[in-house]
Amino acid sequence: SANKRYGSSIIIGERTRGLAGHAIIVRKLDTVAVYGRMGGTAIYELIGINGEPAPAWIAAYEEGLARYTRGEFVSAIPYFEEADAARPGGDTPSQTLIECCRGFLPEPPPAEWDGTTALLSK
């Protein structure tokens, strides 16, 4: 279900990311609380194998994600828009987080919010 939400093909968790080291190119998609488990975990999208150039749009996405996580929704949107425009065919994760940002503008999350997204199904 996470692949559907983020429009990705391959999502890996923190442990796999750590074990793979510099052998792969990834981008952090989000921090999620998986249905039925306590606490959040980072998830990553597999982009490619190291040795290939990392796409330039990843930096814009990651800056947007950092701002989103800090609750800086207005300033995160342009970075997600940049990543979406720069990735051939668009970038579903950027589009998803733009909508999340816009949703938080009229009604911000509670003060204790840490940027974790609750996935409501497995």
Side-chain angles (χ1 to χ4, degrees), residues 1-2 5-6 29-43 65 68-69 96-97 100 104 109-110 112-122:
S1 68
R5 174 181 170 80
Y6 294 99
L29 283 175
D30 204 350
T31 299
V32 299
V34 180
Y35 179 80
R37 293 191 183 166
M38 298 297 290
T41 187
I43 58 170
L65 184 62
Y68 170 81
T69 301
T96 298
L97 288 170
C100 290
F104 282 137
E112 67 274 5
W113 183 76
D114 64 0
T116 299
T117 300
L119 297 181
L120 303 177
S121 64
K122 288 185 177 181

Side-chain angles (χ1 to χ4, degrees), residues 1-121:
S1 68
N3 276 312
K4 281 185 183 179
R5 174 181 170 80
Y6 294 99
S8 55
S9 297
I10 300 174
I11 290 179
I12 61 173
E14 290 180 278
R15 179 163 163 71
T16 303
R17 171 68 190 111
L19 291 170
H22 296 292
I24 58 176
I25 300 169
V26 298
R27 68 156 161 184
K28 182 177 178 183
L29 283 175
D30 204 350
T31 299
V32 299
V34 180
Y35 179 80
R37 293 191 183 166
M38 298 297 290
T41 187
I43 58 170
Y44 299 85
E45 178 182 19
L46 179 63
I47 302 294
I49 303 301
N50 199 5
E52 301 171 1
W57 53 264
I58 291 176
Y61 177 87
E62 289 180 339
E63 180 61 28
L65 184 62
R67 290 170 185 252
Y68 170 81
T69 301
R70 292 191 304 261
E72 300 169 8
F73 306 116
V74 171
S75 68
I77 291 172
Y79 289 97
F80 291 133
E81 290 174 335
E82 179 183 340
D84 184 40
R87 186 173 190 184
D91 186 53
T92 302
S94 291
Q95 296 164 10
T96 298
L97 288 170
I98 288 168
E99 291 307 311
C100 290
C101 287
R102 289 183 177 147
F104 282 137
L105 293 177
E107 189 173 328
E112 67 274 5
W113 183 76
D114 64 0
T116 299
T117 300
L119 297 181
L120 303 177
S121 64

